[in-house]
Structure formats: C-alpha cells, structure tokens
Amino acid sequence: MKIIQRTSIAFAVAVALTGSAWVAPKTVALNVPGMTCPTCPITVKKALNRVPGVSKIDIDLSKKEAIITFDDSKTSTQALVAATTNAGYPSTPEAAK
Ligand SMILES: [Cu+2]
C-alpha cells in the first residue's frame, strides 16, 4: 500500500515539474490606434472575447491599448491581432514589458 502511495506522489510531482498539466497564462499589450471614442473598446473587447483561450481583457482608451491575458496553448498574439483587425480595428503587439 505504501509503495502505491509513493508512486502516485512521484507521478504528481513529475507532472507538476514538466508543466504538462498546467500552462502559465501569457499577457500581451496590443496597440489599437483605431479606438477613438468610448464605444470602440466595446467592439474590440467583444472580438477578443470570441478568441478561445482569452481569460482577461483590459482596455485603456487613453493609451489606445488592449492588454490581454490568454492561454498560450490555445491561441497566439497573431490570432488576437487578427481578431481586432477583423472587427475593424487593426492592431500591433507592443514590445513585451
Ligand atoms: Cu468609437
């Protein structure tokens, strides 16, 4: 019985160390120069929310910036750029902070 318990603990540690069961969320800031009035961020946010893997969206209208937290294994910065562009708001990723 003890051996089985030790084996399962070792397995759990191995999974935790290799990170196969857990992915760290990634954050990216996109410059969205087309956001010019307070309703623009609503459209941009809606478009980004439809992208699978997106967990958080913060939009700063004064900076014309969208900060997005997403799951790296489900989507990519390029997909986020495509989503805002398709909604009528072309964007470019900012340099990582
Ligand atoms: Cu607007």
Side-chain angles (χ1 to χ4, degrees):
M1 199 55 178
K2 265 193 179 147
I3 292 163
I4 292 166
Q5 277 176 346
R6 263 188 215 145
T7 308
S8 61
I9 289 165
F11 178 72
V13 170
V15 168
L17 289 177
T18 56
S20 56
W22 183 78
V23 179
K26 207 177 161 179
T27 303
V28 71
L30 297 182
N31 272 316
V32 195
M35 292 195 295
T36 52
C37 80
T39 58
C40 290
I42 298 167
T43 311
V44 172
K45 206 167 184 173
K46 256 188 204 166
L48 289 168
N49 258 324
R50 268 190 231 117
V51 180
V54 171
S55 56
K56 194 172 171 241
I57 303 159
D58 281 316
I59 293 187
D60 188 328
L61 181 60
S62 63
K63 289 187 193 163
K64 301 192 177 180
E65 188 180 77
I67 295 132
I68 305 128
T69 305
F70 64 99
D71 180 342
D72 213 3
S73 67
K74 287 184 187 144
T75 190
S76 63
T77 303
Q78 290 92 315
L80 301 172
V81 168
T84 67
T85 303
N86 290 340
Y89 296 91
S91 62
T92 48
E94 273 178 25
K97 283 172 189 170

